[in-house]
Amino acid sequence: MKKILGYAAVACLITLGAACTQEKKLPFYGDREAKITKDANGNEKIDTIYKTIPDFKFLNQDSVEVTQDAFNGKIYVADFFFTSCSTICPTMHRHMKTIFDKYKDNKDVMFLSHTIDFKYDKPSVLKKYAQKLDVDVPQWQFLYGSKEEVYKLAEKDYLVAVQEDNEATDGYVHQGWLVLIDKHKRIRGAYDGTKPEEVEKLKADMDILLAEKD
Amino acid sequence: MTKQKFFVYSLFFGAIAMAINACQSASEIEMSKYMSNGKDIYQARCQNCHGQNGEGLGELAPPLTDTVFLKTNKQKLACYIKNGVNEPMEIHGKTYHEKMPALSNMHDIDIAQVIVYITNSFGNQQGMYTYKQVANDLKNCGQ
C-alpha cells in the first residue's frame, strides 16, 4: 500500500512539473484573416494572417533614414511622444528607460520612439533629447516623420490614438501605450507606460517573447 | 468585562489619547497638514519629471536633492513653480538647460504646501514656508 502511495506521489509531482513548464504565449493584436492554400497534393491548408506593422521610412536622431530593416529579426518596444511634452511623456520614458537598462546590449531587443510633434521635433531636437535622457545609442531609435505618415501609423497600425489639440497643455494629446512588436512585425502587447505595474508586466512578457520559437 | 465597563474604559482611554494629541503644538499640526497636502500636489504636478524620490530625469529634469541650491534660492522657488523657468540652473555642480513649464493655475497655498513637501523630503529638512511668504515672494519675481 505504502509503495502504491509513493508511486502516486511521484506521478503527481511529474504531472505538476509538466504543467509548470507549459509555455505561456502572448496574444496577437489587431484584425486577422484566414488564407487558404493548397499543398502539392491538393490538400487545403488554412493559415492565419496576423496584422503586421507596414514598412516605413523616417529620419532618426542622427538624420539617417531608417526603415523597418533596422528592426528585422528583433523584438521592439514602440511608443509615441514629443520632446516638449510635460505631462505623461517624462513618466513613460522614465519607465521605458528601466526596460532599456534591463535589455541594454541585447541584440534581439530594440526601442522606437516616434515623435508626434512634426513642427518642432526635428532630428537635431531628438538627438539632444536622447542625449539628455542618456539613451543616445542605435538600440533606441527616435524617429521623425510627416504628420500624415506618423499619425496614420499610430492610429491604423500601432492602434495608439494621437492628435493635435490646441486646447491641450502642450498642444498635442496622445495615449501612453508602450507597444510590444515581435520578430515578425506583429503586435503582441500594449502596456500603459505611465503605470509601474504595467511596465513590469511588459518586461516579463518580453522575456516570454524572446524565448518564443520562430 | 461587561458592556458598561468596556464603555467606560474606552471613554477613559479615548480622553487620554485626545489629551496626548492636543499636546502636539499647533505649528506641528500645520506642518503635517502642509506635508500631506504637499505630497498629493507633488505627485499630481511634479513627479512625472522630477521623480518619486526627487531624483530628476537624466539631464531633462534636475533632481530636487540639492539642499544648498534649495536653501539659497528659497525666495525664488515660488516664482519657478508659478512662472516656469527658462534659464540654465546649476544643481549638484551640473548645469540644466531645459525649460520648466509654468504651473500658473496653482494657488499660493498649493505652492506653499508643495514647497514645504519638497524642502522637507528627499534628504532636505528646511522647515515651514507659509502661503503668506509665497504671496510675498511672487511679488519679487524677475528681480
Side-chain angles (χ1 to χ4, degrees):
Chain A
M1 186 61 191
K2 242 186 187 168
K3 220 173 179 184
I4 294 174
L5 267 180
Y7 282 134
V10 170
C12 269
L13 277 175
I14 289 171
T15 2
L16 270 178
C20 284
T21 52
Q22 199 165 43
E23 272 176 55
K24 244 178 100 182
K25 237 186 151 220
L26 301 184
F28 295 90
Y29 283 49
D31 296 333
R32 59 189 67 175
E33 47 189 291
K35 190 179 159 196
I36 301 169
T37 49
K38 278 188 182 163
D39 64 14
N41 301 327
N43 298 322
E44 281 194 350
K45 221 177 82 185
I46 300 177
D47 268 341
T48 313
I49 308 293
Y50 295 100
K51 179 172 182 52
T52 56
I53 302 298
D55 286 336
F56 54 75
K57 192 155 72 169
F58 294 120
L59 288 181
N60 75 357
Q61 68 263 43
D62 294 310
S63 297
V64 174
E65 221 167 52
V66 170
T67 65
Q68 233 179 5
D69 292 345
F71 302 89
N72 257 348
K74 297 171 193 286
I75 72 165
Y76 67 95
V77 178
D79 80 328
F80 292 82
F81 87 114
F82 58 107
T83 62
S84 54
C85 161
S86 61
T87 51
I88 60 171
C89 311
T91 311
M92 284 164 65
H93 278 176
R94 179 191 305 282
H95 289 145
M96 206 155 147
K97 202 180 159 190
T98 66
I99 310 170
F100 171 79
D101 288 338
K102 179 177 172 189
Y103 295 100
K104 210 171 182 172
D105 303 324
N106 184 332
K107 290 191 168 53
D108 293 327
V109 178
M110 281 188 71
F111 299 86
L112 200 181
S113 291
H114 287 282
T115 177
I116 58 166
D117 185 351
F118 51 92
K119 292 177 192 156
Y120 178 72
D121 281 349
K122 310 286 172 184
S124 61
V125 177
L126 293 176
K127 179 82 177 171
K128 248 187 219 153
Y129 181 88
Q131 285 170 337
K132 290 188 170 177
L133 196 62
D134 197 20
V135 296
D136 183 26
V137 289
Q139 199 186 356
W140 193 333
Q141 293 286 325
F142 288 84
L143 299 187
Y144 166 82
S146 72
K147 180 182 175 183
E148 297 78 54
E149 286 174 282
V150 176
Y151 285 39
K152 184 170 166 276
L153 192 66
E155 297 193 336
K156 297 274 183 298
D157 300 305
Y158 284 102
L159 315 174
V160 178
V162 297
Q163 84 186 76
E164 233 184 319
D165 182 354
N166 296 327
E167 305 279 293
T169 320
D170 301 307
Y172 299 90
V173 286
H174 63 111
Q175 292 178 312
W177 298 114
L178 303 180
V179 186
L180 180 59
I181 310 294
D182 71 9
K183 291 178 181 172
H184 303 285
K185 309 170 191 171
R186 298 172 300 200
I187 305 175
R188 303 300 293 275
Y191 312 80
D192 186 338
T194 63
K195 298 205 175 89
E197 65 277 11
E198 292 247 330
V199 175
E200 285 312 310
K201 182 159 190 308
L202 169 54
K203 287 180 193 165
D205 283 358
M206 284 171 78
D207 288 334
I208 295 171
L209 194 54
L210 280 169
E212 196 172 84
K213 288 180 200 84
D214 292 329
Chain B
M1 208 190 301
T2 67
K3 248 189 187 159
Q4 222 171 7
K5 234 179 180 175
F6 178 74
F7 183 68
V8 172
Y9 271 117
S10 28
L11 262 187
F12 178 68
F13 286 115
I16 288 181
M18 272 161 82
I20 292 173
N21 234 343
C23 286
Q24 208 183 10
S25 70
S27 68
E28 275 172 46
I29 292 173
E30 187 72 356
M31 177 79 182
S32 47
K33 211 162 76 185
Y34 267 58
M35 282 297 280
S36 76
N37 289 341
K39 186 175 183 177
D40 290 342
I41 297 167
Y42 182 84
Q43 286 173 343
R45 309 300 301 268
C46 316
Q47 185 169 304
N48 51 353
C49 292
H50 292 289
Q52 194 180 359
N53 302 309
E55 72 272 24
L57 180 60
E59 284 174 54
L60 295 166
L64 304 175
T65 49
D66 187 341
T67 281
V68 177
F69 177 91
L70 291 173
K71 191 113 193 161
T72 42
N73 293 285
K74 190 99 178 220
Q75 270 78 43
K76 292 189 199 155
L77 297 182
C79 301
Y80 291 161
I81 294 170
K82 182 111 181 172
N83 305 328
V85 182
N86 197 6
E87 58 185 46
M89 279 186 176
E90 200 180 307
I91 287 148
H92 282 312
K94 234 163 111 182
T95 310
Y96 292 81
H97 297 276
E98 288 302 301
K99 268 191 249 172
M100 169 160 153
L103 300 176
S104 47
N105 61 357
M106 273 176 73
H107 296 291
D108 292 358
I109 180 72
D110 300 333
I111 295 175
Q113 287 172 337
V114 82
I115 287 177
V116 166
Y117 176 70
I118 291 167
T119 55
N120 290 284
S121 307
F122 320 135
N124 307 309
Q125 200 165 17
Q126 302 181 3
M128 190 59 180
Y129 178 78
T130 66
Y131 68 92
K132 286 181 190 145
Q133 284 169 288
V134 169
N136 202 38
D137 287 347
L138 284 177
K139 278 187 217 145
N140 302 319
C141 289
Q143 277 181 14

